[in-house]
Short mmCIF file of all heavy atoms in Angstrom, two decimals:
data_model
loop_
_atom_site.label_atom_id
_atom_site.label_comp_id
_atom_site.label_asym_id
_atom_site.label_seq_id
_atom_site.Cartn_x
_atom_site.Cartn_y
_atom_site.Cartn_z
N MET Y 28 184.31 0.10 -51.41
CA MET Y 28 185.74 0.45 -51.35
C MET Y 28 186.14 0.19 -50.06
O MET Y 28 187.26 -0.30 -49.83
CB MET Y 28 185.91 1.91 -51.72
CG MET Y 28 187.36 2.28 -51.91
SD MET Y 28 187.99 1.37 -53.40
CE MET Y 28 189.36 2.11 -53.60
N LYS Y 29 185.33 0.36 -48.98
CA LYS Y 29 185.74 0.17 -47.56
C LYS Y 29 185.97 -1.34 -47.36
O LYS Y 29 186.83 -1.68 -46.50
CB LYS Y 29 184.71 0.73 -46.62
CG LYS Y 29 185.09 0.67 -45.18
CD LYS Y 29 184.27 1.35 -44.28
CE LYS Y 29 184.68 1.17 -42.88
NZ LYS Y 29 184.01 2.01 -41.95
N GLN Y 30 185.14 -2.22 -47.98
CA GLN Y 30 185.38 -3.60 -47.84
C GLN Y 30 186.80 -4.01 -48.32
O GLN Y 30 187.44 -4.78 -47.67
CB GLN Y 30 184.34 -4.46 -48.61
CG GLN Y 30 182.91 -4.28 -47.95
CD GLN Y 30 181.89 -5.04 -48.79
OE1 GLN Y 30 182.11 -5.36 -49.94
NE2 GLN Y 30 180.74 -5.21 -48.12
N LEU Y 31 187.26 -3.41 -49.42
CA LEU Y 31 188.60 -3.75 -49.85
C LEU Y 31 189.66 -3.40 -48.92
O LEU Y 31 190.52 -4.08 -48.77
CB LEU Y 31 188.85 -3.06 -51.26
CG LEU Y 31 188.44 -3.79 -52.48
CD1 LEU Y 31 188.76 -3.01 -53.78
CD2 LEU Y 31 189.18 -5.12 -52.63
N GLU Y 32 189.50 -2.19 -48.23
CA GLU Y 32 190.39 -1.84 -47.27
C GLU Y 32 190.46 -2.69 -46.01
O GLU Y 32 191.46 -3.11 -45.46
CB GLU Y 32 190.08 -0.38 -46.68
CG GLU Y 32 190.21 0.54 -47.69
CD GLU Y 32 189.71 2.03 -47.38
OE1 GLU Y 32 189.49 2.23 -46.19
OE2 GLU Y 32 189.73 2.97 -48.21
N ASN Y 33 189.25 -3.25 -45.64
CA ASN Y 33 189.14 -4.22 -44.59
C ASN Y 33 189.88 -5.42 -44.96
O ASN Y 33 190.59 -6.14 -44.05
CB ASN Y 33 187.71 -4.50 -44.14
CG ASN Y 33 187.13 -3.36 -43.57
OD1 ASN Y 33 187.82 -2.40 -42.96
ND2 ASN Y 33 185.86 -3.27 -43.57
N VAL Y 34 189.67 -5.98 -46.17
CA VAL Y 34 190.33 -7.24 -46.55
C VAL Y 34 191.82 -7.07 -46.59
O VAL Y 34 192.52 -7.86 -46.20
CB VAL Y 34 189.77 -7.63 -47.94
CG1 VAL Y 34 190.65 -8.85 -48.53
CG2 VAL Y 34 188.32 -8.04 -47.83
N ARG Y 35 192.37 -5.92 -47.01
CA ARG Y 35 193.76 -5.65 -47.19
C ARG Y 35 194.32 -5.64 -45.72
O ARG Y 35 195.35 -6.10 -45.53
CB ARG Y 35 193.95 -4.35 -47.95
CG ARG Y 35 195.44 -4.01 -48.25
CD ARG Y 35 195.71 -2.76 -49.06
NE ARG Y 35 194.83 -2.76 -50.11
CZ ARG Y 35 194.29 -1.75 -50.75
NH1 ARG Y 35 194.41 -0.67 -50.29
NH2 ARG Y 35 193.61 -2.04 -51.91
N GLU Y 36 193.60 -5.03 -44.80
CA GLU Y 36 194.13 -4.95 -43.43
C GLU Y 36 194.22 -6.37 -42.80
O GLU Y 36 195.18 -6.67 -42.21
CB GLU Y 36 193.09 -4.06 -42.56
CG GLU Y 36 193.62 -3.93 -41.18
CD GLU Y 36 192.65 -3.04 -40.40
OE1 GLU Y 36 192.13 -2.07 -41.06
OE2 GLU Y 36 192.43 -3.17 -39.24
N VAL Y 37 193.19 -7.26 -43.12
CA VAL Y 37 193.28 -8.59 -42.64
C VAL Y 37 194.53 -9.33 -43.15
O VAL Y 37 195.18 -10.06 -42.51
CB VAL Y 37 192.00 -9.38 -42.90
CG1 VAL Y 37 192.12 -10.83 -42.64
CG2 VAL Y 37 190.77 -8.74 -42.17
N PHE Y 38 194.71 -9.17 -44.40
CA PHE Y 38 195.86 -9.86 -45.13
C PHE Y 38 197.20 -9.30 -44.54
O PHE Y 38 198.06 -10.20 -44.33
CB PHE Y 38 195.85 -9.72 -46.61
CG PHE Y 38 194.84 -10.69 -47.32
CD1 PHE Y 38 193.88 -10.22 -48.18
CD2 PHE Y 38 194.85 -12.05 -47.04
CE1 PHE Y 38 193.06 -11.13 -48.76
CE2 PHE Y 38 194.10 -13.01 -47.75
CZ PHE Y 38 193.16 -12.45 -48.48
N ASN Y 39 197.31 -8.10 -44.23
CA ASN Y 39 198.46 -7.50 -43.73
C ASN Y 39 198.75 -8.07 -42.41
O ASN Y 39 199.94 -8.48 -41.90
CB ASN Y 39 198.52 -6.09 -43.65
CG ASN Y 39 198.62 -5.49 -45.02
OD1 ASN Y 39 199.27 -6.03 -45.96
ND2 ASN Y 39 198.23 -4.21 -45.19
N THR Y 40 197.64 -8.15 -41.51
CA THR Y 40 197.99 -8.78 -40.20
C THR Y 40 198.24 -10.26 -40.21
O THR Y 40 199.01 -10.75 -39.45
CB THR Y 40 196.70 -8.49 -39.25
OG1 THR Y 40 195.60 -9.14 -39.76
CG2 THR Y 40 196.49 -7.11 -38.95
N LEU Y 41 197.67 -10.96 -41.18
CA LEU Y 41 198.06 -12.53 -41.35
C LEU Y 41 199.50 -12.65 -41.77
O LEU Y 41 200.17 -13.51 -41.31
CB LEU Y 41 197.15 -13.10 -42.21
CG LEU Y 41 195.62 -13.32 -41.75
CD1 LEU Y 41 194.82 -13.82 -42.82
CD2 LEU Y 41 195.62 -14.13 -40.52
N LYS Y 42 199.83 -11.81 -42.59
CA LYS Y 42 201.22 -11.85 -43.17
C LYS Y 42 202.27 -11.56 -42.22
O LYS Y 42 203.35 -12.36 -42.10
CB LYS Y 42 201.32 -10.84 -44.36
CG LYS Y 42 202.66 -10.86 -44.97
CD LYS Y 42 202.63 -9.87 -46.14
CE LYS Y 42 203.99 -9.69 -46.79
NZ LYS Y 42 203.96 -8.62 -47.79
N HIS Y 43 202.09 -10.80 -41.16
CA HIS Y 43 203.15 -10.43 -40.23
C HIS Y 43 202.73 -11.20 -38.85
O HIS Y 43 203.38 -10.79 -37.83
CB HIS Y 43 203.09 -8.95 -39.99
CG HIS Y 43 203.44 -8.29 -41.28
ND1 HIS Y 43 204.78 -8.31 -41.77
CD2 HIS Y 43 202.72 -7.37 -42.03
CE1 HIS Y 43 204.78 -7.61 -42.82
NE2 HIS Y 43 203.57 -7.02 -43.04
N ARG Y 44 201.87 -12.04 -38.72
CA ARG Y 44 201.48 -12.78 -37.61
C ARG Y 44 202.46 -13.77 -37.21
O ARG Y 44 202.94 -14.55 -37.97
CB ARG Y 44 200.11 -13.43 -37.79
CG ARG Y 44 199.64 -14.06 -36.54
CD ARG Y 44 198.30 -14.63 -36.84
NE ARG Y 44 197.95 -15.58 -35.61
CZ ARG Y 44 197.01 -16.50 -35.87
NH1 ARG Y 44 196.40 -16.69 -36.94
NH2 ARG Y 44 196.87 -17.30 -34.86
N LYS Y 45 202.91 -13.74 -35.95
CA LYS Y 45 203.94 -14.73 -35.49
C LYS Y 45 203.17 -15.97 -35.14
O LYS Y 45 201.98 -15.90 -34.71
CB LYS Y 45 204.62 -14.25 -34.30
CG LYS Y 45 205.51 -13.00 -34.53
CD LYS Y 45 206.20 -12.52 -33.25
CE LYS Y 45 207.06 -11.35 -33.48
NZ LYS Y 45 207.64 -10.87 -32.33
N PRO Y 46 203.84 -17.22 -35.30
CA PRO Y 46 203.06 -18.46 -34.93
C PRO Y 46 202.70 -18.43 -33.54
O PRO Y 46 203.61 -18.05 -32.57
CB PRO Y 46 204.08 -19.51 -35.23
CG PRO Y 46 205.30 -18.86 -35.95
CD PRO Y 46 205.15 -17.43 -35.78
N SER Y 47 201.62 -18.88 -33.11
CA SER Y 47 201.13 -18.90 -31.77
C SER Y 47 201.37 -20.30 -31.23
O SER Y 47 201.45 -21.28 -31.95
CB SER Y 47 199.71 -18.56 -31.61
OG SER Y 47 198.91 -19.29 -32.53
N ARG Y 48 201.53 -20.39 -29.87
CA ARG Y 48 201.61 -21.62 -29.19
C ARG Y 48 200.25 -22.45 -29.30
O ARG Y 48 199.27 -21.88 -29.18
CB ARG Y 48 201.99 -21.59 -27.87
CG ARG Y 48 203.41 -20.87 -27.70
CD ARG Y 48 204.48 -21.38 -26.92
NE ARG Y 48 204.02 -22.75 -26.31
CZ ARG Y 48 204.96 -23.50 -25.64
NH1 ARG Y 48 206.15 -22.94 -25.42
NH2 ARG Y 48 204.65 -24.71 -25.16
N ILE Y 49 200.35 -23.76 -29.45
CA ILE Y 49 199.09 -24.56 -29.41
C ILE Y 49 199.15 -25.54 -28.15
O ILE Y 49 200.28 -25.85 -27.62
CB ILE Y 49 199.09 -25.45 -30.70
CG1 ILE Y 49 200.27 -26.38 -30.88
CG2 ILE Y 49 198.84 -24.70 -31.81
CD1 ILE Y 49 200.07 -27.38 -31.97
N TYR Y 50 197.98 -25.70 -27.72
CA TYR Y 50 197.73 -26.50 -26.49
C TYR Y 50 196.72 -27.53 -26.71
O TYR Y 50 195.77 -27.38 -27.50
CB TYR Y 50 197.31 -25.62 -25.25
CG TYR Y 50 198.29 -24.54 -25.00
CD1 TYR Y 50 198.19 -23.24 -25.63
CD2 TYR Y 50 199.34 -24.85 -24.04
CE1 TYR Y 50 199.25 -22.38 -25.32
CE2 TYR Y 50 200.32 -23.92 -23.69
CZ TYR Y 50 200.31 -22.62 -24.31
OH TYR Y 50 201.17 -21.74 -24.04
N CYS Y 51 196.64 -28.54 -26.04
CA CYS Y 51 195.75 -29.78 -26.06
C CYS Y 51 194.45 -29.18 -25.51
O CYS Y 51 194.32 -28.60 -24.45
CB CYS Y 51 196.21 -30.84 -25.08
SG CYS Y 51 194.94 -32.20 -24.99
N PRO Y 52 193.25 -29.37 -26.16
CA PRO Y 52 192.00 -28.89 -25.72
C PRO Y 52 191.44 -29.79 -24.58
O PRO Y 52 190.60 -29.39 -23.91
CB PRO Y 52 191.08 -29.17 -26.97
CG PRO Y 52 191.77 -30.26 -27.82
CD PRO Y 52 193.25 -30.08 -27.56
N LYS Y 53 191.99 -30.93 -24.34
CA LYS Y 53 191.49 -31.87 -23.20
C LYS Y 53 192.19 -31.51 -21.88
O LYS Y 53 191.51 -31.42 -20.77
CB LYS Y 53 191.77 -33.33 -23.65
CG LYS Y 53 191.09 -34.25 -22.91
CD LYS Y 53 191.23 -35.68 -23.34
CE LYS Y 53 190.65 -36.75 -22.37
NZ LYS Y 53 190.80 -38.02 -22.91
N CYS Y 54 193.57 -31.39 -21.89
CA CYS Y 54 194.29 -31.17 -20.72
C CYS Y 54 195.08 -29.93 -20.62
O CYS Y 54 195.74 -29.49 -19.66
CB CYS Y 54 195.25 -32.28 -20.49
SG CYS Y 54 196.69 -32.47 -21.64
N ALA Y 55 195.10 -29.13 -21.71
CA ALA Y 55 195.79 -27.79 -21.79
C ALA Y 55 197.31 -27.87 -21.78
O ALA Y 55 197.96 -27.00 -21.41
CB ALA Y 55 195.24 -26.73 -20.74
N SER Y 56 197.82 -29.13 -22.03
CA SER Y 56 199.25 -29.24 -22.10
C SER Y 56 199.82 -28.68 -23.43
O SER Y 56 199.23 -28.82 -24.46
CB SER Y 56 199.49 -30.80 -22.05
OG SER Y 56 200.88 -31.07 -22.31
N PRO Y 57 201.00 -28.14 -23.31
CA PRO Y 57 201.66 -27.60 -24.51
C PRO Y 57 202.33 -28.68 -25.19
O PRO Y 57 202.97 -28.55 -26.35
CB PRO Y 57 202.68 -26.60 -23.95
CG PRO Y 57 202.94 -26.99 -22.71
CD PRO Y 57 201.66 -27.62 -22.07
N LYS Y 58 202.45 -29.98 -24.74
CA LYS Y 58 203.07 -31.04 -25.35
C LYS Y 58 202.18 -31.73 -26.39
O LYS Y 58 201.79 -32.85 -26.30
CB LYS Y 58 203.56 -32.07 -24.34
CG LYS Y 58 204.58 -31.52 -23.32
CD LYS Y 58 204.96 -32.57 -22.39
CE LYS Y 58 205.93 -31.97 -21.32
NZ LYS Y 58 206.37 -33.08 -20.32
N ILE Y 59 201.83 -31.02 -27.49
CA ILE Y 59 200.87 -31.47 -28.48
C ILE Y 59 201.65 -31.24 -29.83
O ILE Y 59 202.20 -30.23 -30.01
CB ILE Y 59 199.66 -30.94 -28.41
CG1 ILE Y 59 198.62 -31.62 -29.27
CG2 ILE Y 59 199.57 -29.45 -28.58
CD1 ILE Y 59 197.26 -31.40 -28.96
N ASN Y 60 201.80 -32.28 -30.64
CA ASN Y 60 202.33 -32.22 -31.95
C ASN Y 60 201.53 -32.90 -33.04
O ASN Y 60 200.50 -33.64 -32.76
CB ASN Y 60 203.70 -33.03 -31.81
CG ASN Y 60 204.69 -32.37 -30.93
OD1 ASN Y 60 204.88 -31.20 -30.81
ND2 ASN Y 60 205.15 -33.18 -29.86
N LEU Y 61 201.83 -32.69 -34.27
CA LEU Y 61 201.23 -33.45 -35.39
C LEU Y 61 201.48 -34.92 -35.19
O LEU Y 61 202.70 -35.35 -34.86
CB LEU Y 61 201.74 -32.97 -36.75
CG LEU Y 61 201.25 -31.54 -37.28
CD1 LEU Y 61 201.93 -31.14 -38.40
CD2 LEU Y 61 199.72 -31.71 -37.41
N SER Y 62 200.52 -35.69 -35.47
CA SER Y 62 200.70 -37.17 -35.14
C SER Y 62 201.43 -37.79 -36.30
O SER Y 62 202.07 -38.85 -36.11
CB SER Y 62 199.36 -37.81 -34.96
OG SER Y 62 198.56 -37.69 -36.19
N ASN Y 63 201.54 -37.12 -37.50
CA ASN Y 63 202.25 -37.76 -38.62
C ASN Y 63 202.83 -36.62 -39.56
O ASN Y 63 202.16 -35.58 -39.66
CB ASN Y 63 201.27 -38.52 -39.44
CG ASN Y 63 201.89 -39.53 -40.53
OD1 ASN Y 63 202.96 -39.19 -40.96
ND2 ASN Y 63 201.17 -40.47 -40.92
N SER Y 64 204.02 -36.81 -40.03
CA SER Y 64 204.71 -35.82 -40.81
C SER Y 64 203.95 -35.56 -42.05
O SER Y 64 204.04 -34.51 -42.81
CB SER Y 64 206.15 -36.18 -41.03
OG SER Y 64 206.32 -37.29 -41.83
N LEU Y 65 203.24 -36.51 -42.70
CA LEU Y 65 202.44 -36.41 -43.97
C LEU Y 65 201.28 -35.44 -43.70
O LEU Y 65 200.69 -34.94 -44.72
CB LEU Y 65 201.97 -37.70 -44.37
CG LEU Y 65 203.07 -38.68 -44.95
CD1 LEU Y 65 202.39 -40.00 -45.38
CD2 LEU Y 65 203.75 -38.15 -46.12
N GLU Y 66 200.79 -35.32 -42.55
CA GLU Y 66 199.75 -34.51 -42.36
C GLU Y 66 199.93 -32.91 -42.50
O GLU Y 66 199.01 -32.16 -42.52
CB GLU Y 66 199.12 -34.71 -40.98
CG GLU Y 66 198.58 -36.08 -40.76
CD GLU Y 66 198.12 -36.40 -39.49
OE1 GLU Y 66 198.37 -35.62 -38.50
OE2 GLU Y 66 197.62 -37.61 -39.23
N ILE Y 67 201.19 -32.63 -42.76
CA ILE Y 67 201.42 -31.16 -42.92
C ILE Y 67 200.93 -30.80 -44.39
O ILE Y 67 200.27 -29.63 -44.53
CB ILE Y 67 203.04 -30.91 -43.05
CG1 ILE Y 67 203.47 -31.15 -41.62
CG2 ILE Y 67 203.38 -29.52 -43.49
CD1 ILE Y 67 204.96 -30.99 -41.38
N TRP Y 68 200.96 -31.60 -45.37
CA TRP Y 68 200.61 -31.23 -46.66
C TRP Y 68 199.60 -32.20 -47.38
O TRP Y 68 198.85 -31.83 -48.35
CB TRP Y 68 201.81 -30.92 -47.54
CG TRP Y 68 202.61 -32.20 -47.70
CD1 TRP Y 68 203.54 -32.53 -46.92
CD2 TRP Y 68 202.69 -33.16 -48.84
NE1 TRP Y 68 204.21 -33.82 -47.34
CE2 TRP Y 68 203.55 -34.13 -48.55
CE3 TRP Y 68 201.91 -33.35 -49.91
CZ2 TRP Y 68 203.79 -35.21 -49.29
CZ3 TRP Y 68 202.17 -34.36 -50.70
CH2 TRP Y 68 203.05 -35.36 -50.38
N LEU Y 69 199.56 -33.40 -46.96
CA LEU Y 69 198.85 -34.51 -47.77
C LEU Y 69 197.49 -34.74 -47.01
O LEU Y 69 196.52 -34.87 -47.67
CB LEU Y 69 199.73 -35.81 -47.80
CG LEU Y 69 199.13 -36.92 -48.68
CD1 LEU Y 69 198.92 -36.42 -50.09
CD2 LEU Y 69 200.13 -38.02 -48.65
N LEU Y 70 197.55 -35.00 -45.79
CA LEU Y 70 196.33 -35.39 -45.09
C LEU Y 70 195.82 -34.26 -44.15
O LEU Y 70 196.57 -33.39 -43.89
CB LEU Y 70 196.62 -36.69 -44.16
CG LEU Y 70 197.13 -37.82 -44.96
CD1 LEU Y 70 197.52 -38.88 -43.91
CD2 LEU Y 70 195.92 -38.41 -45.86
N PRO Y 71 194.59 -34.27 -43.70
CA PRO Y 71 194.05 -33.39 -42.72
C PRO Y 71 194.95 -33.40 -41.51
O PRO Y 71 195.33 -34.41 -40.98
CB PRO Y 71 192.72 -33.69 -42.45
CG PRO Y 71 192.27 -34.57 -43.58
CD PRO Y 71 193.49 -35.24 -44.16
N LYS Y 72 195.28 -32.32 -40.76
CA LYS Y 72 196.03 -32.17 -39.58
C LYS Y 72 195.36 -33.04 -38.51
O LYS Y 72 194.09 -32.89 -38.19
CB LYS Y 72 196.23 -30.89 -39.20
CG LYS Y 72 197.17 -30.03 -40.10
CD LYS Y 72 197.44 -28.80 -39.55
CE LYS Y 72 198.29 -27.93 -40.50
NZ LYS Y 72 198.53 -26.60 -40.05
N LYS Y 73 196.10 -33.82 -37.77
CA LYS Y 73 195.58 -34.56 -36.68
C LYS Y 73 196.70 -34.45 -35.59
O LYS Y 73 197.77 -34.76 -35.84
CB LYS Y 73 195.38 -35.97 -36.90
CG LYS Y 73 194.49 -36.70 -35.84
CD LYS Y 73 194.16 -38.10 -36.16
CE LYS Y 73 193.15 -38.16 -37.23
NZ LYS Y 73 192.79 -39.62 -37.65
N TYR Y 74 196.39 -33.97 -34.32
CA TYR Y 74 197.30 -33.68 -33.44
C TYR Y 74 197.28 -34.82 -32.31
O TYR Y 74 196.28 -35.44 -32.06
CB TYR Y 74 197.08 -32.39 -32.67
CG TYR Y 74 197.20 -31.23 -33.59
CD1 TYR Y 74 196.18 -30.79 -34.38
CD2 TYR Y 74 198.46 -30.58 -33.76
CE1 TYR Y 74 196.27 -29.63 -35.21
CE2 TYR Y 74 198.66 -29.53 -34.65
CZ TYR Y 74 197.55 -29.07 -35.38
OH TYR Y 74 197.77 -28.10 -36.23
N LEU Y 75 198.45 -35.07 -31.73
CA LEU Y 75 198.63 -36.10 -30.60
C LEU Y 75 199.27 -35.42 -29.48
O LEU Y 75 200.24 -34.73 -29.45
CB LEU Y 75 199.57 -37.22 -31.11
CG LEU Y 75 199.94 -38.27 -30.04
CD1 LEU Y 75 198.72 -38.99 -29.60
CD2 LEU Y 75 201.01 -39.12 -30.73
N CYS Y 76 198.53 -35.43 -28.17
CA CYS Y 76 199.06 -34.95 -27.00
C CYS Y 76 199.95 -36.09 -26.34
O CYS Y 76 199.44 -37.12 -26.02
CB CYS Y 76 197.87 -34.52 -26.11
SG CYS Y 76 198.42 -33.86 -24.57
N GLU Y 77 201.10 -35.60 -25.85
CA GLU Y 77 202.01 -36.51 -25.19
C GLU Y 77 201.55 -36.75 -23.74
O GLU Y 77 201.91 -37.69 -23.06
CB GLU Y 77 203.40 -36.01 -25.22
CG GLU Y 77 203.99 -35.88 -26.56
CD GLU Y 77 205.53 -35.29 -26.58
OE1 GLU Y 77 206.04 -35.16 -25.48
OE2 GLU Y 77 205.87 -34.83 -27.67
N ASN Y 78 200.76 -35.77 -23.25
CA ASN Y 78 200.42 -35.79 -21.83
C ASN Y 78 199.25 -36.70 -21.60
O ASN Y 78 199.27 -37.54 -20.65
CB ASN Y 78 200.11 -34.41 -21.35
CG ASN Y 78 200.11 -34.19 -19.85
OD1 ASN Y 78 200.75 -34.93 -19.14
ND2 ASN Y 78 199.22 -33.49 -19.34
N CYS Y 79 198.20 -36.58 -22.28
CA CYS Y 79 196.88 -37.34 -22.03
C CYS Y 79 196.49 -38.25 -23.08
O CYS Y 79 195.53 -39.04 -22.94
CB CYS Y 79 195.74 -36.30 -21.74
SG CYS Y 79 195.17 -35.42 -23.26
N GLY Y 80 197.23 -38.24 -24.18
CA GLY Y 80 196.98 -39.23 -25.25
C GLY Y 80 195.83 -38.70 -26.31
O GLY Y 80 195.37 -39.57 -27.08
N TYR Y 81 195.35 -37.41 -26.10
CA TYR Y 81 194.42 -36.90 -27.10
C TYR Y 81 194.79 -36.99 -28.41
O TYR Y 81 195.90 -36.81 -28.82
CB TYR Y 81 194.00 -35.46 -26.66
CG TYR Y 81 193.27 -34.60 -27.72
CD1 TYR Y 81 191.96 -34.89 -27.82
CD2 TYR Y 81 193.91 -33.91 -28.62
CE1 TYR Y 81 191.15 -34.13 -28.94
CE2 TYR Y 81 193.21 -33.17 -29.65
CZ TYR Y 81 191.97 -33.35 -29.76
OH TYR Y 81 191.17 -32.68 -30.69
N ILE Y 82 193.93 -37.45 -29.41
CA ILE Y 82 194.20 -37.48 -30.85
C ILE Y 82 193.06 -36.82 -31.55
O ILE Y 82 191.82 -37.20 -31.31
CB ILE Y 82 194.38 -38.88 -31.34
CG1 ILE Y 82 195.50 -39.52 -30.72
CG2 ILE Y 82 194.47 -38.90 -32.86
CD1 ILE Y 82 195.67 -40.97 -31.17
N GLY Y 83 193.30 -35.81 -32.26
CA GLY Y 83 192.22 -35.08 -32.98
C GLY Y 83 192.73 -33.86 -33.78
O GLY Y 83 193.79 -33.48 -33.68
N PRO Y 84 191.76 -33.26 -34.48
CA PRO Y 84 192.10 -32.16 -35.33
C PRO Y 84 192.01 -30.81 -34.63
O PRO Y 84 192.44 -29.80 -35.16
CB PRO Y 84 191.07 -32.18 -36.47
CG PRO Y 84 189.88 -32.82 -35.82
CD PRO Y 84 190.33 -33.80 -34.82
N ILE Y 85 191.51 -30.72 -33.42
CA ILE Y 85 191.20 -29.45 -32.78
C ILE Y 85 192.37 -29.19 -31.74
O ILE Y 85 192.70 -30.12 -30.93
CB ILE Y 85 189.86 -29.46 -32.07
CG1 ILE Y 85 188.71 -29.64 -33.13
CG2 ILE Y 85 189.66 -28.23 -31.22
CD1 ILE Y 85 187.39 -29.79 -32.51
N VAL Y 86 192.83 -28.08 -31.69
CA VAL Y 86 193.84 -27.48 -30.70
C VAL Y 86 193.47 -26.14 -30.27
O VAL Y 86 192.78 -25.46 -30.99
CB VAL Y 86 195.28 -27.62 -31.21
CG1 VAL Y 86 195.83 -28.95 -31.53
CG2 VAL Y 86 195.50 -26.68 -32.58
N MET Y 87 194.00 -25.74 -29.14
CA MET Y 87 193.85 -24.39 -28.62
C MET Y 87 194.98 -23.60 -29.10
O MET Y 87 196.06 -24.04 -28.92
CB MET Y 87 193.64 -24.33 -27.18
CG MET Y 87 192.35 -25.08 -26.63
SD MET Y 87 191.98 -25.00 -24.93
CE MET Y 87 193.47 -25.49 -24.17
N GLU Y 88 194.85 -22.34 -29.40
CA GLU Y 88 195.98 -21.45 -29.68
C GLU Y 88 195.81 -20.34 -28.69
O GLU Y 88 194.75 -19.80 -28.33
CB GLU Y 88 195.77 -20.81 -31.07
CG GLU Y 88 196.04 -21.78 -32.14
CD GLU Y 88 196.12 -21.19 -33.51
OE1 GLU Y 88 196.78 -20.13 -33.60
OE2 GLU Y 88 195.56 -21.59 -34.36
N LEU Y 89 197.05 -19.84 -28.20
CA LEU Y 89 197.08 -18.79 -27.32
C LEU Y 89 197.92 -17.66 -27.90
O LEU Y 89 199.10 -17.96 -28.29
CB LEU Y 89 197.67 -19.21 -25.89
CG LEU Y 89 197.77 -18.21 -24.90
CD1 LEU Y 89 196.41 -17.75 -24.52
CD2 LEU Y 89 198.55 -18.70 -23.71
N GLU Y 90 197.37 -16.48 -28.14
CA GLU Y 90 198.07 -15.43 -28.76
C GLU Y 90 198.30 -14.42 -27.64
O GLU Y 90 197.51 -14.24 -26.71
CB GLU Y 90 197.23 -14.81 -29.86
CG GLU Y 90 196.94 -15.69 -30.99
CD GLU Y 90 196.04 -15.03 -32.04
OE1 GLU Y 90 195.70 -13.93 -31.93
OE2 GLU Y 90 195.70 -15.74 -33.02
N LYS Y 91 199.47 -13.61 -27.67
CA LYS Y 91 199.73 -12.65 -26.79
C LYS Y 91 198.73 -11.48 -27.06
O LYS Y 91 198.36 -11.14 -28.20
CB LYS Y 91 201.13 -12.07 -26.85
CG LYS Y 91 202.19 -13.03 -26.40
CD LYS Y 91 203.60 -12.51 -26.51
CE LYS Y 91 204.64 -13.43 -25.97
NZ LYS Y 91 205.96 -12.77 -26.06
N GLU Y 92 198.22 -10.91 -26.01
CA GLU Y 92 197.32 -9.70 -26.30
C GLU Y 92 198.24 -8.53 -26.72
O GLU Y 92 199.22 -8.31 -26.13
CB GLU Y 92 196.60 -9.45 -24.94
CG GLU Y 92 195.67 -10.54 -24.54
CD GLU Y 92 194.84 -10.07 -23.40
OE1 GLU Y 92 194.68 -8.83 -23.05
OE2 GLU Y 92 194.24 -10.92 -22.73
N GLU Y 93 197.70 -7.95 -27.73
CA GLU Y 93 198.29 -6.70 -28.10
C GLU Y 93 198.20 -5.54 -27.13
O GLU Y 93 197.13 -5.56 -26.58
CB GLU Y 93 197.90 -6.26 -29.45
CG GLU Y 93 198.08 -7.25 -30.63
CD GLU Y 93 197.75 -6.82 -31.94
OE1 GLU Y 93 197.60 -5.54 -32.15
OE2 GLU Y 93 197.62 -7.78 -32.83
N GLU Y 94 199.03 -4.72 -27.00
CA GLU Y 94 198.83 -3.57 -26.09
C GLU Y 94 197.75 -2.67 -26.54
O GLU Y 94 197.76 -2.46 -27.77
CB GLU Y 94 200.21 -2.76 -25.93
CG GLU Y 94 201.32 -3.55 -25.12
CD GLU Y 94 202.44 -2.71 -24.78
OE1 GLU Y 94 202.28 -1.49 -24.75
OE2 GLU Y 94 203.53 -3.29 -24.66
N SER Y 95 197.00 -2.15 -25.63
CA SER Y 95 195.96 -1.35 -26.06
C SER Y 95 196.53 0.14 -26.43
O SER Y 95 197.61 0.33 -26.19
CB SER Y 95 194.82 -1.19 -25.04
OG SER Y 95 195.39 -0.70 -23.88
N GLU Y 96 195.69 0.84 -26.89
CA GLU Y 96 196.16 2.26 -27.43
C GLU Y 96 196.60 3.05 -26.17
O GLU Y 96 197.44 3.95 -26.37
CB GLU Y 96 194.93 2.92 -28.11
CG GLU Y 96 194.62 2.21 -29.39
CD GLU Y 96 193.48 2.86 -30.03
OE1 GLU Y 96 193.15 4.03 -29.76
OE2 GLU Y 96 192.92 2.35 -30.96
N ASN Y 97 196.15 2.89 -25.00
CA ASN Y 97 196.46 3.73 -23.91
C ASN Y 97 197.77 3.22 -23.25
O ASN Y 97 198.18 3.72 -22.16
CB ASN Y 97 195.42 3.89 -22.87
CG ASN Y 97 194.93 2.58 -22.39
OD1 ASN Y 97 195.56 1.49 -22.52
ND2 ASN Y 97 193.83 2.68 -21.56
N GLY Y 98 198.32 2.09 -23.70
CA GLY Y 98 199.50 1.53 -23.16
C GLY Y 98 199.41 0.48 -22.11
O GLY Y 98 200.35 0.04 -21.53
N THR Y 99 198.24 0.12 -21.81
CA THR Y 99 198.08 -1.02 -20.78
C THR Y 99 197.64 -2.27 -21.40
O THR Y 99 197.01 -2.17 -22.58
CB THR Y 99 196.96 -0.64 -19.77
OG1 THR Y 99 195.76 -0.43 -20.43
CG2 THR Y 99 197.30 0.63 -18.85
N ALA Y 100 197.99 -3.41 -20.97
CA ALA Y 100 197.73 -4.69 -21.54
C ALA Y 100 196.45 -5.22 -20.98
O ALA Y 100 196.08 -5.06 -20.03
CB ALA Y 100 198.94 -5.67 -21.38
#
């Protein structure tokens, strides 16, 4: 029963998760976009960095750290 509660908690956090910013894994530039509009639903995602020219399926995501229980970040 505890496993069901854990799964439900994960789904709730995913549902309310805000989109995070993505960065190039090669140069850490935020100027990275999908290389083709068809890759949203038809093909595997492939990203293109405007800064260094990286092309690939891997990007870095940066999420804001949630405040801890004692009020410090």
Side-chain angles (χ1 to χ4, degrees):
M28 190 69 170
K29 185 173 181 169
Q30 290 177 344
L31 270 178
E32 292 173 10
N33 292 339
V34 170
R35 188 176 303 145
E36 183 178 323
V37 169
F38 280 126
N39 284 337
T40 57
L41 290 175
K42 183 178 173 182
H43 299 292
R44 182 177 167 201
K45 294 180 182 177
S47 56
R48 295 226 14 170
I49 58 172
Y50 297 90
C51 175
K53 190 173 180 182
C54 69
S56 171
K58 295 180 181 180
I59 190 162
N60 300 305
L61 286 172
S62 64
N63 190 339
S64 62
L65 292 177
E66 292 172 355
I67 294 174
W68 59 276
L69 185 58
L70 302 171
K72 291 181 181 179
K73 194 179 288 184
Y74 295 91
L75 171 65
C76 178
E77 296 175 18
N78 194 36
C79 70
Y81 165 80
I82 298 175
I85 299 172
V86 293
M87 295 187 304
E88 288 187 46
L89 182 64
E90 298 178 1
K91 289 184 178 181
E92 291 185 22
E93 294 183 22
E94 289 187 31
S95 62
E96 294 176 18
N97 61 7
T99 59

